Structure formats: structure tokens, C-alpha cells
Amino acid sequence: AYPLQIGGVHDHVHVLIRVPVGVNIPQLVGQMKGASSHLISHTLRPGSFFRWQGSYGVFSVSSEGVEAVTQYILNQ
């Protein structure tokens, strides 16, 4: 998977990713949550409590919509 844009606010994150056919989305999201949790709790804020919520949303975007979604994320 290839991240195109990442951003968000204090209580949620938006990630625009180009995902090849056949990628297991729940597994990808789990890996993203795990890696970011490790970064936060071991590097950025050692000793602090951090936990992702259990749910997430996934939406597909046409190639024509990528720039609009990128701008939306940048303006968060």
C-alpha cells in the first residue's frame, strides 16, 4: 500500500492510501494501528496511554477524486 496523504484532528485520522488489488484491508488497518500505537507509546510519548478505537471506516475514491480528498485531508 502507498500512503498519499495523512492528516486529522485530535480525535480522528484520515489516511488516503493507494492499495493494490488483493490487499487484505482489515489486516492493513490492523498493521497501521499497531505500528502507530508502538510509535506513540515507545517514541513520541513513552509511558503514556494510547489506544485506537475498535472501529474504522473505509471508502474507495476514483482517480479523479484523489486531489479533492487530498485537499480535504490537508484542510483538517
Side-chain angles (χ1 to χ4, degrees):
Y2 308 94
L4 302 175
Q5 192 62 252
I6 301 171
V9 294
H10 73 282
D11 64 349
H12 69 273
V13 174
H14 291 144
V15 182
L16 179 61
I17 305 170
R18 180 166 286 131
V19 181
V21 173
V23 169
N24 181 312
I25 299 297
Q27 184 178 21
L28 174 63
V29 171
Q31 291 172 345
M32 290 169 49
K33 285 182 169 185
S36 59
S37 292
H38 187 271
L39 175 68
I40 291 166
S41 62
H42 290 89
T43 303
L44 300 179
R45 300 187 74 184
S48 67
F49 177 76
F50 177 82
R51 184 178 70 131
W52 287 103
Q53 71 180 51
S55 60
Y56 59 89
V58 175
F59 303 92
S60 62
V61 178
S62 69
S63 57
E64 293 83 13
V66 168
E67 183 58 32
V69 174
T70 298
Q71 289 305 311
Y72 177 80
I73 293 171
L74 285 171
N75 290 320
Q76 289 291 293

